[in-house]
């Protein structure tokens, strides 16, 4: 069968798709977008998380045919997506979730993690590259800076999940972050640096507002 | 070549700055966060085929016949291969013994053993064709534990053993056995005021790395093959692959592609030979990617173990003696079992001074899944048992468990049971002191907000099983001892190639090794070392491949030490050459070229007094220096097969944990509230990576304490839970905060004084959590993982 859908803002057409193929397979093997990872292919690890019409889903559990006419964002499109969202004023790039903060105070009063705490990792000594790589989204940059990437296989899924959470909840508490990321397994990091990264991205975002 | 993002792109042109001791960021970080990093399962080639493995559905059976006709006739199928199609004389491989058939021959010895392989134009076609292969199995009785494996008339897992331990073991179903006798344990026992003993069980843990076993084999025009694969040791793979393909080693060209974690699970071959065989047979590139189900069969696991321990102590709290027997289940093939036995026996006393010991460790051949390397390698199982024993002794003496450990803590100079003297700092008591001194996490955190209980902070979490009634807190301590590097006389060397030249008006160093970057961050510290030694900002780390000499395995916490040491050593020689060139060019202009100690710093040649003699750009103009050198650490010795004596280890690494848990005693649910660590790393070359390694290792230890276990049916030896639905690894909700306290006591024998880091935190994490659960519940708990039924007595 043929499937037409939008990936990272670009219309795509996949031909000869076998009816059992997952969205993950089509992205990785037919579209040349291997960024979404294939760690379990059974909906347990979150490594394949993409946004389908704005909502995070496990691409391995979505049949390719289900995405006909719909809109997919993968880790490869995350930086663009975040930039467009920023241009629109904050939240809900697709207009479906959240709303732009009217008074520019998002992320101040209810912030569960203080800026100071979020940036504490810097006391451990960072290097000079913070700020380089300007074409990354804030969450991508924060993962690098906080040391949240080891083997990196969980990273694309975590980034998509975390970015969506920060869109809904710009100042999450630690418990909120843990709850939001609980569907994404990481075997390398022990999650501590991943928490640091999300706190850091949230803090930088609230600073920028 | 038309592969997407060939590994050539992975680490080139690192633009990170910073020498050793700085938290330089990963050179592959940007690629990894943008999805561009090419993992082994991302390899792609025009016109490629997909390989699939057919695996045994039974644990032990004679293969009466295999019929592949229907599979081969399936449209889209290019090849179906069985044992009979293997091209060379050599048809088996293995890390220590060559006992593993590439494809089963005559019989299968464990559930999931590869029997046939298929190549087709779509992965689903390959899977469906494999399902059409008909195999006639005649079931054989299984051996699954020590009693069944060594019973009279027990079926032999390997009827014809020809390995070097065959003569030394008391039964052919024992892979290897290492006794260690030192002093007079029986005599010393008489001096004990308190004697405690226990039987402990350690479940089968899985590495559960996220990136599946995968790779791409591309047939070469010269009859050879190029293999892009995720592994821990390219040259060890090569040594095992080439003979089975009937090719000389230089016709099997291996390149490391992105590795999604390893933890020991990639030391053994998985799909490597199968992909090469299919590529050579079909003349087309073949990609194999295991799904998660297959991954559980595609790699070895951590040895499950039964351990019997007896310790004695005087009323004053001094250990008198230790006796133990450790039985490891190695499963159907040897893998790394002999070395695991060596570790389990020689580290069985842990970081304590005990002079009179009587130790025996052995690994069995059974029809269970093969077991081999996993982070902590034999030391983990022993640590679980001896730490439980320490708590029992402390309780028997009515002493504080940390104080009791401190009284017996190993120090620099203490002898191991093998007679080897620990000749570097051994801050066991200090590490314990540090975790103990740390402030406790607040009680009843779920009420911290002062409102309704936040169930997310309670055992059971979002399943809302309790609001705090029946929840009790416990605290537990543990400390562990792990060796670093390969032991027992193994020639544990590494090779580094370093080139220095001027590119675009800048001095640049290029480092080429065969080290497998599996996520640990080796590529980051290697560049830091080159920057430090050569005084350049720009370092390029070339992709790891077999065009450079072996780097040894990314295992045993050894790569920063050994390949880092090799890079340091090669850089020192490169520096000498650069200075020679400088002397020849500029020596006549300044006497310091001949008289002063010269360094390379910030792109310049400077004297140790800080005087600048020349720019590296001018020294190197038109020339380059290029060296490839091997480097070795101090040699080690094999353990005596009867007494276990010998200087078997290179270096040691120590970590201590304090676990705080909360247990819902009604439902048997555990919430680990905090897992504090203190570890001595000798010298933190990259502090940020050090934290990541310690926290990651701690979490794997937490996993095996409360959830991780591969369940094998004791009657059929079949695996019951090969999926992430049923084999649970900790999520971010299961993992507490992990505060880390890093000590840097230099080991004068190691490069920069560093110590291997990656494994030690996996050892003590598990017994600390168990001790905390015992402390909370008052239960004895002698097995890991602890499951709810163990806590509720149901
Ligand atoms: S690969 Fe989709 S959830 Fe694991
Ligand atoms: S799984 Fe390796 S970094 Fe998360």
């Amino acid at each position: 069968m043929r499937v037409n859908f939008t990936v990272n803002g670009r219309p795509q057409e996949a031909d000869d798709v076998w009816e059992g193929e997952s969205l993950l397979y089509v992205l990785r093997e037919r579209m040349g977008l291997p960024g979404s990872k294939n760690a379990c292919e059974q909906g347990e690890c979150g490594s394949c998380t993409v946004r389908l019409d704005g909502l995070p889903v496990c691409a391995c559990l979505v049949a390719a045919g289900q995405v006909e006419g719909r809109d997919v964002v993968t880790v490869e499109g995350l930086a663009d997506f975040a930039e467009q969202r920023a241009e629109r004023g904050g939240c809900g790039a697709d207009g479906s979730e959240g709303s732009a903060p009217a008074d520019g105070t998002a992320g101040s009063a209810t912030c569960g993690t203080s800026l100071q705490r979020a940036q504490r990792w810097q006391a451990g000594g960072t290097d000079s590259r913070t700020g380089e790589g300007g074409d990354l989204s804030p969450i991508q940059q924060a993962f690098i800076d906080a040391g949240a990437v080891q083997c990196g296989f969980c990273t694309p899924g975590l980034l998509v999940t975390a970015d969506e959470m920060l869109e809904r909840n710009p100042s999450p508490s630690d418990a909120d972050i843990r709850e939001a990321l609980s569907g994404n397994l990481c075997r390398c990091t022990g999650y501590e640096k991943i928490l640091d990264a999300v706190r850091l991205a949230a803090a930088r975002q609230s600073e920028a507002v | 070549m038309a592969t997407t993002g060939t590994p050539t792109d992975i680490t080139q042109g690192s633009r990170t700055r910073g020498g050793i001791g700085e938290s330089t960021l990963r050179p592959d970080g940007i690629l990894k966060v943008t999805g561009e990093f090419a993992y082994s399962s991302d390899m792609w080639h025009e016109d490629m085929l997909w390989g699939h493995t057919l695996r045994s559905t039974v644990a032990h059976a004679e293969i009466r016949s295999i019929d592949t006709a229907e599979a081969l006739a399936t449209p889209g199928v290019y090849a179906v291969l069985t044992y009979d199609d293997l091209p060379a004389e050599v048809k088996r491989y293995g890390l220590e013994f060559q006992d593993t058939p590439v494809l089963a021959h005559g019989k299968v010895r464990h559930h999931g053993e590869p029997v046939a392989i298929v190549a087709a134009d779509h992965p689903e076609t390959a899977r469906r064709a494999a399902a059409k292969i008909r195999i006639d199995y005649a079931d054989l009785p299984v051996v699954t534990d020590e009693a069944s494996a060594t019973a009279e008339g027990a079926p032999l897992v390997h009827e014809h053993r020809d390995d070097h331990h065959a003569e030394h073991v008391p039964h052919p179903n024992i892979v290897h056995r290492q006794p260690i006798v030192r002093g007079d344990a029986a005599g010393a026992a008489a001096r004990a005021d308190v004697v405690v003993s226990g039987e402990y069980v350690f479940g089968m843990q899985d590495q559960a790395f996220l990136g599946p076993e995968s790779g791409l084999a591309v047939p070469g025009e010269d009859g050879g093959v190029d293999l892009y694969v995720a592994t821990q040791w390219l040259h060890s793979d090569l040594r095992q692959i080439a003979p089975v393909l009937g090719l000389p080693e230089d016709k099997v060209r291996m390149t490391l592609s992105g590795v999604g974690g390893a933890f020991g699970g990639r030391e053994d071959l998985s799909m490597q030979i199968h992909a090469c065989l299919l590529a050579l047979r079909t003349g087309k590139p073949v990609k194999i990617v295991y799904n998660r189900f297959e991954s559980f069969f595609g790699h070895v696991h951590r040895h499950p173990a039964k351990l019997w321990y007896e310790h004695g102590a005087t009323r004053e709290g001094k250990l008198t003696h230790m006796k133990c027997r450790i039985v490891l289940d190695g499963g159907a093939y040897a893998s790394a079992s002999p070395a695991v036995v060596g570790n389990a026996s020689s580290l069985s006393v842990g970081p304590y001074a005990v002079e009179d010991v009587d130790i025996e460790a052995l690994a069995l051949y059974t029809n269970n899944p093969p077991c081999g390397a996993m982070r902590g390698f034999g030391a983990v199982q022993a640590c679980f048992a001896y730490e439980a024993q320490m708590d029992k002794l402390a309780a028997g003496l009515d002493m504080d468990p940390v104080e009791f450990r401190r009284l017996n803590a190993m120090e620099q100079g203490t002898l191991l049971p093998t007679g080897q003297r620990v000749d570097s700092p051994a801050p066991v008591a200090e590490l314990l002191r540090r975790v103990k001194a740390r402030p406790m996490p607040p009680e009843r955190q779920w009420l911290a907000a002062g409102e309704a209980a936040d169930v997310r902070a309670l055992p059971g979490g979002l399943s809302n099983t309790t609001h705090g009634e029946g929840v009790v807190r416990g605290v537990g301590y543990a400390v562990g001892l792990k060796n670093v590097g390969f032991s027992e006389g193994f020639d544990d060397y590494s090779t580094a190639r370093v080139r220095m030249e001027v590119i675009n008006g800048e001095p640049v160093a290029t480092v080429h090794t065969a080290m497998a970057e599996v996520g640990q961050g080796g590529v980051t510290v290697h560049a830091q070392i080159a920057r430090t030694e050569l005084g350049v900002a720009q370092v390029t780390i070339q992709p790891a491949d077999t065009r450079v000499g072996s780097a040894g395995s990314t295992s045993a916490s050894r790569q920063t030490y050994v390949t880092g040491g090799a890079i340091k050593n090669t850089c020192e020689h490169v520096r000498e050459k650069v200075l020679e060139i400088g002397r020849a060019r500029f020596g006549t202009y300044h006497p310091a070229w001949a008289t002063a100690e010269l360094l390379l710093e910030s792109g310049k040649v400077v004297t140790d007094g800080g005087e600048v003699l020349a720019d590296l750009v001018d020294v190197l103009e038109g020339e380059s220096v290029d060296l490839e050198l091997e480097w070795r650490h101090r040699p080690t010795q094999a353990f005596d097969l009867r007494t276990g004596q010998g200087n078997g280890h290179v270096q040691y690494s120590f970590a201590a944990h304090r676990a705080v848990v909360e247990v819902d005693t009604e439902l048997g649910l555990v919430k680990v509230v905090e897992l504090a660590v203190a570890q001595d790393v000798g010298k933190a070359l990259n502090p940020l990576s050090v934290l990541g390694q310690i926290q990651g290792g701690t979490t794997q230890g937490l996993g095996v304490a409360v959830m991780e276990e591969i369940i094998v049916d004791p009657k059929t030896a079949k695996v019951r839970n090969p999926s992430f639905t049923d084999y649970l690894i900790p999520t971010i909700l299961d993992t507490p905060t992990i505060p880390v306290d890093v000590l840097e006591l230099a080991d004068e024998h190691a490069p920069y004084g560093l110590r291997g880091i990656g494994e030690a935190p996996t050892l003590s994490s598990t017994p600390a959590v168990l001790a905390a659960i015992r402390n909370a519940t008052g239960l004895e708990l002698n097995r890991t993982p602890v499951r709810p039924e163990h806590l509720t007595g149901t």
Side-chain angles (χ1 to χ4, degrees):
Chain A
M1 65 178 164
R2 169 176 297 180
V3 187
N4 290 288
F5 61 117
T6 310
V7 185
N8 299 329
R10 261 181 238 119
Q12 296 280 4
E13 183 181 288
D15 263 328
D16 299 324
V17 174
W18 170 70
E19 69 275 14
E21 279 175 24
S22 64
L23 170 60
L24 181 63
Y25 182 88
V26 169
L27 289 170
R28 290 176 51 79
E29 305 296 339
R30 295 186 182 276
M31 312 267 99
L33 292 171
S36 311
K37 291 298 163 218
N38 54 325
C40 73
E41 299 182 72
Q42 55 189 174
E44 294 290 346
C45 73
S47 309
C48 61
T49 306
V50 300
R51 292 179 73 163
L52 180 58
D53 290 344
L55 290 178
V57 296
C58 293
C60 67
L61 293 185
V62 175
Q66 282 177 280
V67 301
E68 176 66 36
R70 300 172 76 180
D71 187 49
V72 173
V73 177
T74 72
V75 69
E76 286 97 340
L78 201 57
D80 275 353
F81 185 81
E83 196 180 314
Q84 284 171 23
R85 176 175 53 212
E87 279 165 14
R88 290 184 209 192
C91 299
D94 61 352
S96 64
E97 283 282 349
S99 57
D103 55 359
T105 56
S108 50
T110 57
C111 187
T113 310
S114 72
L115 180 63
Q116 194 193 5
R117 197 164 158 211
Q119 290 180 334
R120 198 178 39 196
W121 60 271
Q122 287 180 322
T126 65
D127 100 331
S128 47
R129 205 169 59 161
T130 311
E132 270 186 41
D135 42 3
L136 299 179
S137 69
I139 191 72
Q140 287 170 318
Q141 189 67 50
F143 263 61
I144 294 178
D145 293 342
V149 180
Q150 289 188 20
C151 86
F153 212 79
C154 63
T155 306
L158 276 162
L159 289 170
V160 173
T161 308
D163 183 67
E164 193 271 345
M165 183 217 30
L166 288 173
E167 186 178 295
R168 276 185 291 116
N169 180 1
S171 43
S173 68
D174 285 1
D176 294 340
I177 299 174
R178 287 185 189 275
E179 187 178 337
L181 302 189
S182 62
N184 292 77
L185 297 177
C186 172
R187 188 55 156 171
C188 302
T189 61
Y191 301 108
E192 193 90 336
K193 299 284 160 225
I194 291 171
L195 268 169
D196 286 349
V198 180
R199 291 174 190 139
L200 178 65
R204 283 181 180 164
Q205 268 177 10
S206 73
E207 243 185 351
V209 167
Chain B
M1 199 177 92
T3 46
T4 59
T6 60
T8 323
D9 301 326
I10 293 173
T11 53
Q12 244 179 7
S14 136
R15 280 178 297 117
T16 52
R17 285 180 282 280
I20 61 160
E22 293 178 46
S23 286
T24 308
L25 300 179
R26 303 184 64 96
D28 53 4
I30 290 183
L31 292 174
K32 284 179 173 176
V33 299
T34 52
E36 287 165 49
F37 185 78
Y39 292 92
S40 55
S41 57
D42 302 336
M43 297 287 119
W44 185 88
H45 199 292
E46 256 173 288
D47 202 25
M48 76 181 185
L49 302 176
W50 290 78
H52 184 74
T53 323
L54 178 72
R55 291 173 181 274
S56 149
T57 52
V58 291
H60 197 200
E62 187 192 326
I63 300 175
R64 292 228 180 95
S65 64
I66 304 180
D67 179 358
T68 59
E70 201 185 333
L72 201 48
T74 308
V77 168
Y78 284 72
V80 181
L81 305 183
T82 66
Y83 179 88
D84 293 334
D85 300 300
L86 296 178
E89 275 300 297
V90 180
K91 298 176 199 301
R92 298 184 300 167
Y93 66 91
L95 284 177
E96 300 204 27
F97 305 167
Q98 281 196 356
D99 63 356
T100 313
V102 172
L103 293 165
H105 174 54
K107 67 175 188 170
V108 292
R109 294 184 176 83
H110 70 91
H111 182 204
E113 180 162 352
V115 181
I117 45 177
V118 179
D121 57 8
H122 190 286
E124 190 57 26
T125 309
R127 273 193 284 277
R128 290 185 176 189
K132 292 181 191 163
I133 298 172
R134 280 185 232 297
I135 304 178
D136 184 9
Y137 290 116
D139 277 342
L140 296 168
V142 292
V143 296
T144 57
D145 58 11
E146 187 179 20
S148 60
T150 59
E152 200 160 339
L156 299 186
V157 180
H158 296 273
E159 312 82 352
H160 310 291
R161 285 187 62 174
D162 54 4
D163 58 79
H164 58 276
H165 286 315
E167 280 177 24
H168 300 288
V169 290
H171 190 283
N173 280 342
I174 293 174
V175 183
H176 178 43
R177 172 177 172 274
Q178 180 68 63
I180 302 180
V181 220
R182 189 170 177 81
D184 171 17
R191 294 199 309 274
D193 295 308
V194 180
V195 173
V196 299
S197 59
E199 179 182 333
Y200 303 91
V201 177
F202 199 101
M204 186 186 291
Q205 191 183 14
D206 189 72
Q207 298 83 355
F209 42 75
L210 285 202
E213 288 90 344
S214 45
L216 175 71
V218 185
E221 283 175 7
D222 61 348
V225 61
D226 287 90
L227 181 62
Y228 299 84
V229 72
T231 178
Q232 288 177 246
W233 186 358
L234 289 165
H235 287 80
S236 161
D237 285 11
L238 175 62
R239 181 174 52 75
Q240 298 172 79
I241 295 168
V244 182
L245 301 178
L247 291 172
E249 288 191 358
D250 60 357
K251 287 212 169 171
V252 181
R253 294 161 293 256
M254 297 190 54
T255 307
L256 187 76
S257 50
V259 186
F263 316 116
R266 299 187 205 266
E267 273 194 26
D268 296 75
L269 297 177
S270 56
M271 46 59 66
Q272 285 90 329
I273 297 176
H274 297 161
C276 292
L277 286 169
L278 290 169
L280 290 168
R281 172 61 79 100
T282 60
K284 285 169 173 285
V286 173
K287 168 166 162 169
I288 295 184
V289 181
Y290 289 177
N291 61 22
R292 186 51 54 179
F293 176 82
E294 189 171 11
S295 176
F296 274 99
F297 294 104
H299 61 254
V300 300
H301 315 291
R302 187 191 300 291
H303 288 76
K306 283 211 168 80
L307 311 95
W308 290 267
Y309 263 81
E310 179 189 297
H311 280 88
T314 63
R315 200 161 295 114
E316 295 71 42
K318 272 291 190 189
L319 287 171
T320 53
H321 72 287
M322 186 280 266
K323 294 190 209 171
C324 75
R325 185 158 191 277
I326 301 174
V327 177
L328 302 153
D329 183 349
Y333 295 104
S335 179
S337 284
V340 172
V341 167
N343 262 17
S345 58
S346 60
L347 303 173
S348 61
V349 297
Y352 302 107
V354 200
E355 274 162 29
D356 301 286
V357 297
D358 187 351
I359 296 162
E360 179 189 17
L362 57 87
L364 300 166
Y365 272 132
T366 64
N367 296 112
N368 291 325
C371 290
M374 183 175 171
R375 197 175 201 168
F377 202 84
V380 161
Q381 296 90 332
C383 185
F384 173 64
Y386 61 67
E387 285 303 86
Q389 288 281 104
M390 292 302 118
D391 286 337
K392 271 192 193 175
L393 279 170
L397 290 162
D398 206 15
M399 284 180 81
D400 174 77
V402 171
E403 175 61 15
F404 176 75
R405 285 174 172 84
R406 198 191 59 75
L407 275 176
N408 294 286
M410 159 184 287
E411 295 169 344
Q412 181 159 1
T414 300
L415 291 190
L416 290 175
T418 53
Q420 182 167 15
R421 194 170 293 282
V422 174
D423 61 357
S424 58
V428 178
E430 174 61 12
L431 293 171
L432 281 163
R433 191 192 67 73
R434 286 181 180 228
V435 282
K436 186 162 189 201
R438 186 175 276 283
M440 277 289 178
E443 300 269 349
R444 304 170 77 78
Q445 292 193 84
W446 62 89
L447 288 176
E451 299 159 14
D454 185 344
V455 293
R456 296 179 295 189
L458 280 159
L462 286 168
S463 16
N464 196 18
T465 52
T466 176
H467 287 221
E469 11 5 277
V471 173
V472 288
R473 176 175 275 204
V475 182
Y477 295 88
V479 59
L481 163 70
K482 175 70 185 58
N483 59 327
V484 173
F486 284 15
S487 298
E488 299 185 59
F490 191 86
D491 184 15
D492 194 22
Y493 71 95
S494 182
T495 315
R497 184 179 191 97
V498 177
R499 187 170 69 241
M500 215 167 145
E501 66 202 314
V502 174
I503 300 176
N504 296 329
E506 227 193 305
V508 175
T510 305
V511 176
H512 188 190
T513 75
M515 177 207 67
E517 166 63 46
V518 301
Q520 84 279 21
V523 288
T524 322
V525 296
H526 288 177
Q528 291 177 264
I529 292 171
R531 276 189 213 103
T532 299
E533 297 300 326
L534 298 175
V536 295
Q538 184 79 15
V539 177
T540 299
I541 303 287
Q542 288 201 323
D545 56 35
T546 49
R547 291 177 306 152
V548 62
S550 176
S553 186
T554 301
S555 312
S557 309
R558 66 180 280 289
Q559 278 298 16
T560 302
Y561 189 133
V562 186
T563 300
I567 292 168
K568 178 172 186 282
N569 175 57
T570 308
C571 285
E572 284 163 0
H573 283 84
V574 166
R575 184 169 66 212
E576 271 320 304
K577 292 253 187 244
V578 170
L579 292 175
E580 264 172 43
I581 296 172
R583 266 181 216 110
R585 287 196 170 167
F586 304 112
T588 51
Y589 299 114
H590 197 306
W593 277 102
T595 55
E597 182 89 18
L598 300 181
L599 310 167
L600 307 187
E601 265 176 30
S602 309
K604 301 186 189 330
V605 179
V606 297
T607 67
D608 54 354
E611 192 180 354
V612 175
L613 294 187
D615 273 346
L616 279 174
V617 173
D618 299 325
V619 172
L620 282 167
E621 192 57 63
E623 291 216 44
S624 67
V625 177
D626 195 332
L627 287 178
E628 178 177 328
L629 297 173
E630 283 177 4
W631 186 80
R632 287 169 167 76
H633 54 61
R634 294 186 291 169
T636 59
Q637 293 168 344
F639 300 128
D640 182 276
L641 282 173
R642 280 178 311 107
T643 64
Q645 299 302 293
N647 292 335
H649 298 310
V650 185
Q651 192 195 48
Y652 312 94
S653 136
F654 305 90
H657 278 90
R658 180 188 71 194
V660 180
V661 304
E662 275 157 2
V663 183
D664 176 350
T665 49
E666 289 163 4
L667 292 175
L669 301 175
V670 176
K671 169 98 188 168
V672 182
V673 176
E674 187 195 81
L675 247 176
V677 203
Q679 183 168 343
D680 177 14
V681 303
K683 163 80 184 164
L685 296 201
N686 184 313
L688 190 61
S689 303
V690 164
L691 296 185
Q693 284 297 302
I694 295 175
Q695 289 163 339
T698 295
T699 305
Q700 291 189 339
L702 159 70
V704 80
V706 295
M707 61 181 78
E708 291 185 37
E709 184 176 13
I710 292 186
I711 315 256
V712 183
D713 187 306
K715 290 205 186 69
T716 61
K718 285 200 198 187
V719 179
R720 283 190 181 151
N721 56 343
S723 72
F724 275 173
T725 314
D726 298 310
Y727 183 91
L728 304 178
I729 67 173
T731 69
I732 195 168
L733 282 176
D734 303 308
T735 309
T737 34
I738 306 174
V740 180
D741 194 348
V742 171
L743 229 69
E744 296 184 77
L745 301 180
D747 174 356
E748 61 174 84
H749 308 288
Y752 306 114
L754 68 81
R755 258 179 219 288
I757 304 163
E759 297 180 287
T762 315
L763 266 63
S764 42
S765 165
T766 311
V769 171
L770 261 288
I773 301 174
R774 287 186 200 109
N775 179 248
T777 62
L779 297 168
E780 177 144 347
L781 303 175
N782 63 355
R783 98 177 295 283
T784 198
V786 173
R787 289 198 285 262
E789 60 265 33
H790 304 142
L791 297 176
T792 56
T794 49

